[in-house]
Structure formats: C-alpha cells, structure tokens
Amino acid sequence: MIETQTLFDGSWAWIALAIVTAGLAEMKHRRRWVWFLLALIFGPIATALVVIWRRPDSPFGR
C-alpha cells in the first residue's frame, strides 16, 4: 500500500509542473488555464507538447 506522505510529495511536484506548463503556454500565446488543466491530467506529456509545438503566430515553418 502507498504511504500517504509519499502520495502528497508526488502531488506537489505534479502541481508545480502544471504551473510551469501554464507559464510556458502563456509565453507561446496559448490559453494558460487550458494547458494548466491538461498538465494536471497528462503531466510531462503536456509540458513536452507546449515546448515542442510552435507558436500560432510563428513565422518559422511557413
């Protein structure tokens, strides 16, 4: 059985990652709250998508 303390330690890291993802999304002109919620659900996968995907108004790749 998982100890309660270990569960709480991991949840703080997950929430911190969601906040960082929201900040990155805002810098790329994406919706902060949507990406925060996505990061709460998908964690590092959502963070990686924000980092990899280009900005909607980016002149690169056109």
Side-chain angles (χ1 to χ4, degrees), residues 16-50:
L17 182 65
I19 292 170
V20 169
T21 303
L24 290 169
E26 185 179 18
M27 286 179 11
K28 291 194 168 192
H29 301 287
R30 299 191 183 277
R31 296 180 193 157
R32 180 188 329 171
W33 286 105
V34 170
W35 282 97
F36 175 77
L37 294 174
L38 286 173
L40 281 178
I41 297 168
F42 298 113
I45 296 170
T47 306
L49 289 175
V50 167

Side-chain angles (χ1 to χ4, degrees), residues 3-20:
E3 291 184 28
T4 306
Q5 184 63 32
T6 305
L7 186 63
F8 285 131
D9 289 344
S11 64
W12 286 110
W14 203 263
I15 291 171
L17 182 65
I19 292 170
V20 169

